[in-house]
Amino acid sequence: VVISIASGKGGTGKTTIAVNLALSLNDVQLIDCDVEEPNCHLFLKPQIEKRFPVGIATPEVDESRCDYCGKCAEACQFKALAVIKGSVLHFSELCHGCGACSYICPQKAIEEKVREIGIILIGKAGDIEFINGLLNIGEPMAVPIIRKEKGLIDRRKTVVIDVQPGTSCPVVVAVRGTDFCLLVTEPTPFGLNDLKIAVEMVRKLSVPLGVVVNCSDIGDRKVWDYCNRENIPILTEIPWDRRIAEAYSRGIPLIEEMPDHKEKFRLLYNQIEAIIEGTIPKSIAQTKN
Ligand code: SF4
Ligand code: SF4
């Protein structure tokens, strides 16, 4: 089973859920796809065994061959090339490394050079196989790293993917093709607003979804009302607890600090599995106590 853990906005406790779910199960692969700000390693303290760079192909124009016909710029659907006044400009922050420009160039004036955009670290945290993508600072292209990480998914294991917050392209790539997406939210107006956007995205990807409400005893009931209306299961609720916040700030996983929560995470997993297998209906949304 491959479970993606996402959230419409940052700071909802998504990484806490990912790390503690992974720690509560056996035979787990945890993939941190929040490549701009990966945090799982802070709690898992893994032993890194392998690391390898991730690069994307970047076009380099040999101006001695180029006749400035402009065909490369026309072919680039990402507007990463412009041909003006006898020169070819390349905007690397827009380039997806698709190779269309070098393929189309009639003069064979474009060569593809690999530009390193980040690294992938592979290691162990206890029994957990840990994979961590890390984007170079200032590098805008997270997607190629996430694709590489997802290429390492081992479907014989339970796979937990920590997805970056929001609903941008890297989030779509990380969630697409997973068996279930867990959306972590808080019962606040911002939390609800971002949850709605995230639900829309996950539904477009046809990935079954459920919600975890963190800090469930603050705010109002609107998240519950929304989930009930939309037939979205709320699979667990975690009330605000000072000990959780303190453990987080010290880099200690919640279930180490409060071991009674381990059962809660196991139950969460069982519910996800049952929904995927169709043995319990999706409409099991709980109401706030
Ligand atoms: S397609 Fe090739 S020849 Fe034409 S402008 Fe681009 S690099 Fe130059
Ligand atoms: S590699 Fe693709 S995205 Fe990059 S400049 Fe060429 S056509 Fe555009």
Side-chain angles (χ1 to χ4, degrees), residues 4-203:
S4 48
I5 318 267
S7 61
K9 73 179 191 72
T12 57
K14 170 183 62 63
T15 297
T16 297
I17 302 300
V19 166
N20 288 284
L21 182 63
L23 285 170
S24 303
L25 305 172
N26 297 323
D27 209 12
V28 172
Q29 188 183 42
L30 175 60
I31 306 181
D32 196 338
C33 283
D34 189 353
V35 298
E36 281 178 54
E37 218 174 316
N39 277 334
C40 292
H41 66 285
L42 299 175
F43 300 93
L44 293 173
K45 303 174 181 63
Q47 295 285 329
I48 299 303
E49 294 161 354
K50 277 187 251 169
R51 60 185 71 215
F52 59 87
V54 179
I56 60 169
T58 304
E60 245 183 47
V61 178
D62 177 352
E63 302 237 353
S64 67
R65 288 174 164 231
C66 173
D67 62 6
Y68 309 106
C69 68
K71 290 208 163 83
C72 52
E74 278 166 34
C76 181
Q77 55 172 314
F78 303 103
K79 308 224 177 305
L81 285 171
V83 181
I84 43 164
K85 290 187 188 150
S87 82
V88 182
L89 304 177
H90 178 239
F91 307 103
S92 59
E93 66 279 10
L94 300 176
C95 177
H96 282 57
C98 69
C101 51
S102 59
Y103 178 77
I104 210 86
C105 174
Q107 305 300 328
K108 300 284 167 243
I110 301 181
E111 200 186 331
E112 285 179 8
K113 294 262 166 76
V114 174
R115 179 168 62 92
E116 192 179 314
I117 57 167
I119 51 168
I120 290 181
L121 309 170
I122 301 175
K124 285 252 178 232
D127 290 340
I128 297 173
E129 185 188 334
F130 179 70
I131 296 172
N132 189 13
L134 194 55
L135 190 67
N136 288 346
I137 291 168
E139 178 59 56
M141 283 298 155
V143 168
I145 299 187
I146 294 168
R147 285 217 174 98
K148 275 268 181 326
E149 286 185 283
K150 288 190 74 182
L152 299 170
I153 284 177
D154 181 352
R155 277 197 166 266
R156 291 166 303 178
K157 294 176 183 282
T158 300
V159 183
V160 176
I161 298 179
D162 190 7
V163 178
Q164 79 176 49
T167 49
S168 60
C169 203
V171 179
V172 171
V173 172
V175 172
R176 182 183 286 141
T178 59
D179 300 316
F180 195 88
C181 181
L182 203 53
L183 292 171
V184 185
T185 191
E186 289 171 345
T188 62
F190 286 128
L192 176 59
N193 182 59
D194 294 335
L195 173 66
K196 286 179 180 171
I197 297 167
V199 165
E200 221 172 285
M201 175 208 65
V202 178
R203 281 185 168 159

